[in-house]
């Protein structure tokens, strides 16, 4: 499971936004720091509290671009997202 981030370069650093979640974005001074921050913010966006009714979306199919990178969430969080989506799809409580 990989989510897509579009990277933007500015005069004083970089910023990126997740194309799969509105409002999921981060920034950094270096590209290396940005890579870490993208993973951290993705995990935060996907990691819902126990009992939450929010169903995080699965990654979309997005055409490749030189400024788009794929980011994998923490495996534990990815499994929880997959299970929550499957339970929602099958109308399970």
């Amino acid at each position: 499971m990989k989510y897509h981030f579009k990277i933007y370069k500015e005069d004083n650093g970089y910023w990126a936004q997740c194309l799969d979640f509105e409002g999921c974005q981060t920034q950094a001074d270096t590209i290396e720091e940005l890579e870490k921050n993208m993973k951290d913010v993705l995990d935060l966006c996907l990691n819902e509290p126990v009992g939450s009714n929010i169903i995080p979306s699965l990654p979309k199919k997005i055409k490749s671009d030189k400024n788009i990178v794929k980011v994998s969430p923490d495996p534990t969080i990815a499994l929880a997202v997959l299970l929550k989506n499957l339970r929602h799809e099958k109308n399970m409580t």
Side-chain angles (χ1 to χ4, degrees):
M1 171 186 298
K2 294 186 180 198
Y3 288 82
H4 305 87
F5 279 80
K6 184 161 187 173
I7 297 176
Y8 299 90
K9 169 93 171 96
E10 293 192 344
D11 294 336
N12 57 349
Y14 300 88
W15 69 280
Q17 72 180 53
C18 182
L19 302 176
D20 302 299
F21 287 110
E22 191 172 322
C24 183
Q25 53 193 7
T26 189
Q27 64 182 28
D29 294 330
T30 66
I31 199 73
E32 293 80 15
E33 183 184 5
L34 185 68
E35 289 171 357
K36 179 190 177 307
N37 291 352
M38 287 187 293
K39 179 161 178 29
D40 289 346
V41 76
L42 178 61
D43 288 347
L44 286 171
C45 288
L46 291 175
N47 195 14
E48 288 295 322
V50 175
S52 171
N53 292 331
I54 297 172
I55 310 294
S57 63
L58 296 174
K60 301 171 187 167
K61 292 183 181 179
I62 295 178
K63 197 172 188 177
S64 293
D65 182 289
K66 67 178 183 170
N67 294 333
I68 295 176
V69 296
K70 295 179 181 179
V71 179
S72 298
D74 178 272
T76 306
I77 294 172
L79 178 60
V81 168
L82 288 171
L83 288 174
K84 200 164 194 177
N85 272 275
L86 182 60
R87 291 176 64 85
H88 179 71
E89 181 183 307
K90 302 290 183 185
N91 292 320
M92 301 172 79
T93 57

